[in-house]
Amino acid sequence: EPEVTQTPSHQVTQMGQEVILRCVPISNHLYFYWYRQILGQKVEFLVSFYNNEISEKSEIFDDQFSVERPDGSNFTLKIRSTKLEDSAMYFCASSEGGAGTDTQYFGPGTRLTVL
Amino acid sequence: AQTVTQSQPEMSVQEAETVTLSCTYDTSESNYYLFWYKQPPSRQMILVIRQEAYKQQNATENRFSVNFQKAAKSFSLKISDSQLGDTAMYFCAFMEYGNKLVFGAGTILRVKS
C-alpha cells in the first residue's frame, strides 16, 4: 500500500540554524500539507501546497518557514532560523484531490528538537 | 473559525468491551468532512474512519463506527471489541473547503487486559 514517507525521523539542531524536513508524498497525490504537533498539544495546520504554490497557510507559517517541491517526488519544509519553540513533531500529509473531497494521509513524522 | 472539541482527555476500557469517544464541532458550513485519526505511541497519524456531512448513513469500518448527528454537530467514535492495539491517542478532525484539517485536542484511550 502506498504511503507517505518522511526523513529524517529525528533532527536535532542548534537554535538559529536552518533545517530542511523532507517528505515523499504518495505518487499520484496532488495536494500536500505540513502540520506540526508540539508535545502534548493538538495537531496544527501549517501550510497546504498545490500546483507548485501555497494554497493556504496558517499564522504559524511566518517568514521563517518555506515549502518547496524541488523535483517530482519530494516536498520539503524549511525553517530558516530555528527557535526553541519550533521543537515539535512535523507531519507531512498528501491527498489525491482537493476541494475537501479527499482524505489526507500522513507520514510518520519528523521529530525536531531545537537546543 | 471552525473548532473541534473533545471533552474526554482520557478514557479506559477493558479488552473486548465497547467504548465511545465524543467529539463536537462548530461550523456554519453545510458541506464538510469529519475524520477520526489514531496516534499510537509511535506518533504516526493513522486514519480510522471518515464521514461526509451530506451522507445520513453513519460510516463503519470493521470494529469502528461513528454516530454522526449533524444538527447537534456531534461526531462520536464507537470502538467495539476493544483490543490492546487500540491503545492510542484519538483525534477528531474537521475539514471543509480548502482542505485544511482542524483537529481536536485528542482523547487518550487505554485498553486494559
Side-chain angles (χ1 to χ4, degrees):
Chain A
E1 186 177 324
E3 57 183 23
V4 178
T5 60
Q6 290 185 243
T7 55
S9 57
H10 190 192
Q11 172 99 43
V12 181
T13 189
Q14 295 291 326
M15 190 169 56
Q17 295 295 304
E18 175 184 285
V19 294
I20 297 175
L21 310 183
R22 292 183 168 79
C23 168
V24 178
I26 295 172
S27 62
N28 64 330
H29 285 189
L30 301 176
Y31 291 78
F32 315 117
Y33 314 85
W34 284 101
Y35 292 84
R36 81 170 186 190
Q37 184 184 30
I38 295 172
L39 186 64
Q41 298 187 22
K42 66 171 68 175
V43 179
E44 301 172 290
F45 169 77
L46 290 177
V47 66
S48 59
F49 191 86
Y50 169 70
N51 199 26
N52 280 320
E53 57 184 37
I54 291 173
S55 309
E56 185 177 358
K57 60 183 181 179
S58 70
E59 292 178 353
I60 303 167
F61 194 88
D62 61 22
D63 292 343
Q64 292 299 314
F65 292 89
S66 62
V67 289
E68 190 178 34
R69 189 154 162 82
D71 53 43
S73 58
N74 288 284
F75 178 52
T76 62
L77 173 69
K78 181 193 289 186
I79 309 175
R80 262 180 272 281
S81 178
T82 50
K83 305 170 192 162
L84 294 176
E85 55 263 38
D86 293 328
S87 293
M89 195 79 161
Y90 288 81
F91 292 102
C92 174
S94 69
S95 67
E96 186 174 356
T101 59
D102 279 284
T103 300
Q104 294 178 28
Y105 294 91
F106 283 74
T110 292
R111 180 182 295 179
L112 177 64
T113 302
V114 182
L115 303 176
Chain B
Q2 291 75 30
T3 58
V4 177
T5 302
Q6 293 180 248
S7 58
Q8 305 152 315
E10 293 187 33
M11 295 277 286
S12 294
V13 64
Q14 286 295 129
E15 202 174 2
E17 307 248 308
T18 296
V19 64
T20 299
L21 309 184
S22 302
C23 172
T24 59
Y25 57 94
D26 186 28
T27 182
S28 57
E29 299 294 328
S30 57
N31 293 320
Y32 49 87
Y33 302 81
L34 294 160
F35 302 85
W36 281 96
Y37 283 89
K38 167 185 175 180
Q39 188 179 44
S42 66
R43 298 191 73 183
Q44 170 109 34
M45 294 288 286
I46 302 166
L47 175 70
V48 175
I49 199 164
R50 84 175 236 159
Q51 174 81 42
E52 292 87 349
Y54 63 85
K55 289 187 178 178
Q56 292 187 339
Q57 187 172 8
N58 289 323
T60 62
E61 197 70 49
N62 300 316
R63 297 183 293 108
F64 299 88
S65 62
V66 298
N67 183 5
F68 174 48
Q69 302 288 328
K70 191 172 184 178
K73 296 180 182 175
S74 170
F75 182 61
S76 61
L77 174 70
K78 185 170 86 170
I79 306 173
S80 303
D81 186 26
S82 298
Q83 300 174 0
L84 295 176
D86 295 334
T87 292
M89 175 79 95
Y90 286 81
F91 290 99
C92 178
F94 169 97
M95 182 171 74
E96 55 159 57
Y97 302 123
N99 304 326
K100 175 179 69 177
L101 279 167
V102 177
F103 286 87
T107 296
I108 298 172
L109 176 67
R110 293 190 175 86
V111 180
K112 300 178 178 178
S113 57

